[in-house]
Amino acid sequence: RVEAWRGIYIHKNGLGRVAVLAAVVFLLLAKSEPRRRYLWWCGLILTVGLLIGSRSATALVVLIALSLFVPVIKLLRLRYDLAVPLLLMFVMVTGALTWFISANVEKLLEIMGRDVTLTGRTYLWEVVVYMASQRPWLGYGYGAFWVGWDGPSALVWQSISFPASHAHNSFLDLWLALGFIGIGLFALSYFSAFGRTLELMKKAGEYLALWPTIYLLFMLLYSVSESSILRQNSILWVVYVAVVLGVGQRNNSFDVRAKLGVSRVVPLHTDI
């Protein structure tokens, strides 16, 4: 069996996660700056190679999902009489695809080298939900749950028979740490920021203006199977805070060219 790549990271999922993020950045740059597009396409090819070498199924699924979201985001710039029918069509196709996946989930997971427990995650989530329900509103405190055998995480370890360092789900970890109140505050900041990113995208009309929206979607997708919200020493959380603060500025002109030093930015409605 070929060993998965992990690079400088402790686990292969760390490499896969960063490879997805780099692939998105290179793709947006390639679509935005024709003069250097060959450089950006080379970077995209290399990062996709790293993703494949990491053998991270989560990273591959997230990259495919983000690739499907890009045309949907672009539809939001169309007139309502065009956008609404196309969005309804997308919803119907997505529903059919979801039904197909749910009907063949075991076969698809087998092809990806996974099982229905998602490498033991479902057992872990069941125990974590029980522990979180003991302190549903305020949680156990930030950084106070996963402290090994000396804290409440010991009960989880005894139940699942392996020392998990987190819940492998951002929302469950946030529930453990700060309870429903913490989840509510995060949801408020996330959806308000997401709404502002859509407004900025419509005003800017350039491919790089998709970055804040795509990154928020990236965080949401990765939060299902990994913990990335309020994580210490996490570049993902740092970038999330930067995106939220950036789109929250009152005088937000979003001059992509000035901020990134790009000489010529291709409009969002132009295909290259």
Side-chain angles (χ1 to χ4, degrees), residues 239-259:
V239 176
Y240 172 81
V241 173
V243 168
V244 171
L245 293 179
V247 300
Q249 295 177 2
R250 293 184 178 180
N251 185 19
N252 200 330
S253 59
F254 202 79
D255 189 348
V256 180
R257 306 177 190 187
K259 292 183 178 181

Side-chain angles (χ1 to χ4, degrees), residues 126-138:
E126 183 178 356
V127 180
V128 167
V129 167
Y130 171 78
M131 295 299 296
S133 64
Q134 304 304 303
R135 297 185 181 183
W137 294 104
L138 297 176

Side-chain angles (χ1 to χ4, degrees), residues 186-199:
F186 173 78
L188 180 63
S189 71
Y190 181 90
F191 288 110
S192 60
F194 191 83
R196 289 194 294 269
T197 63
L198 295 179
E199 295 178 1

Side-chain angles (χ1 to χ4, degrees), residues 124 146 148-149 153 156-158 160-166 168:
L124 173 62
W146 300 105
W149 292 105
S153 57
V156 178
W157 289 9
Q158 291 175 354
I160 62 176
S161 301
F162 71 89
S165 58
H166 52 81
H168 286 278

Side-chain angles (χ1 to χ4, degrees), residues 223-239:
S223 294
V224 175
S225 61
E226 299 292 339
S227 293
S228 55
I229 299 175
L230 285 178
R231 295 286 295 178
Q232 294 179 342
N233 304 320
S234 172
I235 186 62
L236 300 183
W237 179 248
V238 172
V239 176

Side-chain angles (χ1 to χ4, degrees), residues 7-28:
I8 62 173
Y9 300 93
I10 299 176
H11 196 272
K12 64 175 184 177
N13 288 336
L15 177 61
R17 184 164 52 241
V18 174
V20 171
L21 192 58
V24 170
V25 172
F26 281 127
L27 178 60
L28 292 179

